[in-house]
Amino acid sequence: MTMRATKRIIGVFGALALVVGLFAGAARAQTSLAVDIQGPGQAKMNLVMARPFAGGGQLTAADKLQDLINKDLQFLPFLQLVPPSSIPGQINGPTADQIDFKPFSMGKIDVVVTAQWTPGGNLGNVELRAFEVYTQKVLVGKGYDSVTDAQLPDIADRFCMELMMALTGQGGFFNSQIAFVKPSSAKGTDIWTVRPTGRGLTRVTSYNELGMAVSPAWSFDGRRICFTLIGSRSHYLGVWSGGGKPQVYTLPTTSVVSPRFLPDGQIAVSLSLQGKADIYLLNSAYQPGRTIASSPGIDVSPTFDASGRLMAYVSDETGSPNIYVKDVSGGSGRRVTSSGYNTNPSMSPDGKLIAFTKQLGGAQKVFVHDLSSGQETQVTSGGGSDENPSFSPDGYFIAFSSTRSGQKKIYVTTRHGAQPVMIPTGDGAAQMPSWGPLPQ
Amino acid sequence: MMRSRIVILSMLVLMLSLAGFGCAKKAGGPGDGSGTSWEDQERARLEQERLLREKMGQAANELAQMIHFAFDSNNLTAESRQILTRKAEIMRQYPQIKLIVEGNCDQRGTAEYNLALGERRAQAAAQYLSNLGIGSDRLSTVSYGKERPLDPGHSEAAYAKNRRDEFRATY
């Protein structure tokens, strides 16, 4: 569906500084294009990316950048990439006066992207533009001088981030990171981080065969990761603070499950202090303080909204595991899933939605529960088992692990259930994603 | 290499001396006063266990016999109780040894809930041994949830094999 929304985005974008060079594109005027990614539907815009304009010397770099932008745009399910050959419109140059917009308008194309390379230092200089077909105005204009090969991924990401900002008011996807777990030996697992585009793949822990680091969770400021470290005789709490080796804390129980940060930096974790798993807040010395969820059964997997007042968690107090919500300050939990095996909750930052997994047959599938309407929507389907959904900081995307292509890998869908796209995480299996912002 | 050996040896001496005073202080984190990393402490623990099991010979193998559970259950079967009773006898013969019970689950559930469920299974066996008169200071539990399947398959037989408690003699 092509969308020409009447809602107008007032110029909230364009505050991002450029790393290299600067292109003062035409002042980004108000646009009539907007996708409400938080809304109920899943509107799509059609986008054509023109062949880059480049001299012979820059052709390889131009193609490479084009390919990187293409891959980035495939993560944005509200954009439908249309090959330029399917529209008879003429693009004679990179600027508005060189484009015959009419055929694009007839062909229901919403956005046209051009790239122009000119000779300069290193690979050359590049200018990227995105035009709104309807108004023929520049949505995004970026320029970079003396571009190097290593800068190309960053240039693609920044351009796509600004384009997403211009179209949705949010560009956090490109400004975020995912922590996840990879096997490091037959007996050990370690924590890694990666940006959702697959860039910046970094190993965070190196326990190798000595321990299993599992359940990583970002702090709300993107500076720390807490996790469970399973050793030979106990679980421990691991806390990584952005560099070097993580701190390992011993707790007064051998069962330390599902640690999570609250927005204020405190950690909540499920501990078996009374012979059953209850959820506790840890004090500043990383020792158990107040109990925040307790039942005769197992209570695990807390998740919090950005205010830190609302939590969702798993409890099996009625027999099988189900999702509950409650105020962190007190009161009893309210059950939000009705029957079956429901685990792995992730609360959207605005506290309106809970993504979780439901066991269907022998496999898990991701669902989204709307707390105000009580409506449950299945957002993943197909083969394999889908586990550990994690909302992106903007509350639009959902990362999860899946065995849909055999080995466990991490994929991205949206709250609306867009076609999942795999996040590149290198060789081997990848699981237990936790989505956080880049450090603020 | 030499340095890590020295660290392991000094950790062994430290732990043995602590054990001598009957102190069960758990090592593993900052603030435990040892000044060594978690990794060095873990290596020392594993090495000390290996030496102990070598010394115990066949009895260590018998102590290691697993027990299995029905789906979504931590109830001990008659066969499991028999196996645990034999473990209690061995532990009486070797009053210096302790036992770690490792709880494991099949692949169908999700990781964190299974980590808690595995703990329940480990506690079921530990409780039974405790009821047979083995001091609770000689028993400890750790859950691996579904992270260490014996059989990575997705058949009913594989699931049944993975729903288990494993046992490890320790110092």
Side-chain angles (χ1 to χ4, degrees):
Chain A
M1 181 178 71
T2 298
M3 185 167 163
R4 297 209 191 283
T6 49
K7 190 174 144 193
R8 298 172 79 82
I9 296 181
I10 313 297
V12 291
F13 32 83
L16 292 155
L18 301 183
V19 181
V20 242
L22 182 73
F23 166 56
R28 265 171 285 153
Q30 294 177 355
T31 170
S32 58
L33 270 184
V35 176
D36 180 10
I37 57 173
Q38 310 292 2
Q42 203 184 0
K44 277 209 175 202
M45 289 182 185
N46 294 319
L47 180 144
V48 163
M49 197 149 71
R51 287 279 313 140
F53 295 93
Q58 298 103 35
L59 263 178
T60 313
D63 283 344
K64 193 169 174 186
L65 182 60
Q66 190 94 340
D67 186 48
L68 286 163
I69 292 174
N70 238 309
K71 283 191 176 132
D72 273 2
L73 294 180
Q74 279 163 25
F75 282 105
L76 309 181
F78 50 86
L79 288 177
Q80 178 72 47
L81 270 67
V82 178
S85 55
S86 64
I87 304 289
Q90 289 294 308
I91 303 177
N92 299 316
T95 56
D97 56 341
Q98 295 164 299
I99 301 171
D100 177 12
F101 283 102
K102 226 177 231 158
F104 291 103
S105 185
M106 302 271 287
K108 296 195 186 310
I109 302 301
D110 301 283
V111 179
V112 169
V113 172
T114 64
Q116 182 185 30
W117 284 80
T118 51
N122 300 318
L123 299 173
N125 310 325
V126 63
E127 292 176 1
L128 297 168
R129 293 175 176 85
F131 297 96
E132 181 192 355
V133 171
Y134 188 62
T135 60
Q136 306 186 9
K137 284 181 175 158
V138 174
L139 282 171
V140 179
K142 308 276 286 180
Y144 300 92
D145 293 336
S146 302
V147 168
T148 65
D149 191 59
Q151 288 167 342
L152 292 176
D154 228 29
I155 291 170
D157 290 359
R158 281 171 176 276
F159 176 73
C160 293
M161 177 167 75
E162 293 237 355
L163 183 60
M164 186 179 171
M165 285 284 281
L167 296 174
T168 69
Q170 292 179 23
F173 178 86
F174 296 98
N175 236 348
S176 63
Q177 52 188 340
I178 290 172
F180 65 99
V181 170
K182 268 177 110 156
S184 42
S185 70
K187 280 189 159 182
T189 57
D190 275 299
I191 291 167
W192 294 62
T193 61
V194 70
R195 275 155 54 201
T197 50
R199 290 189 248 293
L201 182 65
T202 307
R203 186 171 178 168
V204 167
T205 67
S206 294
Y207 297 113
N208 298 310
E209 78 290 347
L210 276 180
M212 305 185 91
V214 295
S215 289
W218 280 108
S219 60
F220 277 70
D221 64 4
R223 293 185 183 280
R224 296 193 291 163
I225 297 171
C226 61
F227 60 91
T228 292
L229 174 59
I230 307 176
S232 65
R233 54 173 51 194
S234 181
H235 300 168
Y236 305 85
L237 172 72
V239 179
W240 179 75
S241 300
K245 278 175 71 161
Q247 292 289 308
V248 178
Y249 297 95
T250 303
L251 286 146
T253 168
T254 59
S255 179
V256 180
V257 180
S258 62
R260 302 281 190 277
F261 280 103
L262 277 76
D264 65 3
Q266 280 189 97
I267 291 174
V269 62
S270 178
L271 305 172
S272 290
L273 296 178
Q274 319 279 340
K276 61 192 179 65
D278 296 321
I279 302 170
Y280 295 82
L281 280 179
L282 300 184
N283 61 24
S284 56
Y286 298 97
Q287 292 304 308
R290 188 163 69 83
T291 311
I292 52 171
S294 174
S295 75
I298 288 172
D299 297 280
V300 286
S301 305
T303 170
F304 302 91
D305 74 343
S307 77
R309 286 193 290 269
L310 194 62
M311 73 182 274
Y313 60 102
V314 170
S315 177
D316 70 355
E317 63 178 86
T318 57
S320 65
N322 273 292
I323 312 292
Y324 290 70
V325 286
K326 68 175 292 189
D327 283 339
V328 176
S329 58
S332 54
R334 176 171 71 87
R335 182 171 158 181
V336 297
T337 50
S338 52
S339 61
Y341 186 109
N342 302 290
T343 56
N344 286 163
S346 170
M347 190 173 273
S348 63
D350 62 10
K352 292 180 177 169
L353 304 174
I354 300 168
F356 65 98
T357 53
K358 183 185 280 293
Q359 191 166 302
L360 296 178
Q364 309 286 334
K365 296 292 166 205
V366 179
F367 282 68
V368 169
H369 180 98
D370 185 321
L371 281 172
S372 58
S373 69
Q375 195 184 343
E376 258 178 30
T377 312
Q378 184 172 350
V379 296
T380 69
S381 53
S385 195
D386 303 329
E387 294 180 34
N388 291 104
S390 175
F391 265 110
S392 58
D394 65 11
Y396 175 56
F397 295 97
I398 297 169
F400 62 99
S401 70
S402 177
T403 54
R404 58 190 52 217
S405 329
Q407 195 174 42
K408 234 178 218 183
K409 288 282 186 183
I410 293 168
Y411 293 80
V412 175
T413 181
T414 64
R415 60 200 297 170
H416 306 299
Q419 180 66 33
V421 181
M422 192 174 85
I423 294 180
T425 49
D427 291 340
Q431 58 168 331
M432 298 182 182
S434 166
W435 209 326
L438 287 176
Q440 295 159 351
Chain B
M1 195 63 192
M2 193 60 192
R3 195 168 165 270
S4 72
R5 279 216 177 135
I6 291 168
V7 172
I8 288 172
L9 282 174
S10 58
M11 285 299 302
L12 284 176
V13 170
L14 175 72
M15 285 176 176
L16 287 171
S17 64
L18 286 176
F21 289 107
C23 173
K25 187 178 187 309
K26 196 186 300 166
D32 70 350
S34 67
T36 52
S37 72
W38 181 85
E39 288 90 332
D40 285 338
Q41 294 175 40
E42 188 72 356
R43 274 188 206 100
R45 284 191 282 267
L46 292 169
E47 176 62 8
Q48 192 171 356
E49 270 181 20
R50 195 187 60 75
L51 292 173
L52 176 77
R53 280 197 295 273
E54 231 173 56
K55 227 163 78 180
M56 286 180 68
Q58 182 52 31
N61 292 340
E62 208 170 341
L63 262 184
Q65 192 181 355
M66 295 176 210
I67 61 170
H68 291 86
F69 294 87
F71 174 66
D72 205 16
S73 166
N74 56 330
N75 292 337
L76 300 172
T77 63
E79 189 192 356
S80 296
R81 284 197 285 268
Q82 211 175 357
I83 294 170
L84 290 169
T85 304
R86 175 67 189 133
K87 289 187 203 304
E89 284 167 15
I90 299 169
M91 288 190 75
R92 279 191 213 100
Q93 280 170 28
Y94 294 88
Q96 78 280 20
I97 63 148
K98 297 178 178 178
L99 194 66
I100 296 172
V101 189
E102 302 174 344
N104 292 273
C105 302
D106 71 30
Q107 296 290 293
R108 275 172 292 187
T110 51
E112 289 178 347
Y113 180 72
N114 271 353
L115 218 43
L117 198 63
E119 175 66 19
R120 251 190 207 165
R121 285 191 175 142
Q123 281 179 11
Q127 187 59 50
Y128 191 79
L129 288 167
S130 173
N131 291 348
L132 291 177
I134 306 301
S136 56
D137 58 333
R138 297 178 64 198
L139 299 163
S140 65
T141 55
V142 63
S143 172
Y144 290 104
K146 65 167 184 171
E147 308 308 317
R148 283 195 179 169
L150 281 180
D151 186 335
H154 292 280
S155 65
E156 195 47 56
Y159 293 147
K161 215 186 272 184
N162 291 333
R163 291 190 301 265
R164 71 199 191 275
D165 276 347
E166 294 193 25
F167 300 85
R168 250 176 43 234
T170 188
Y171 49 89

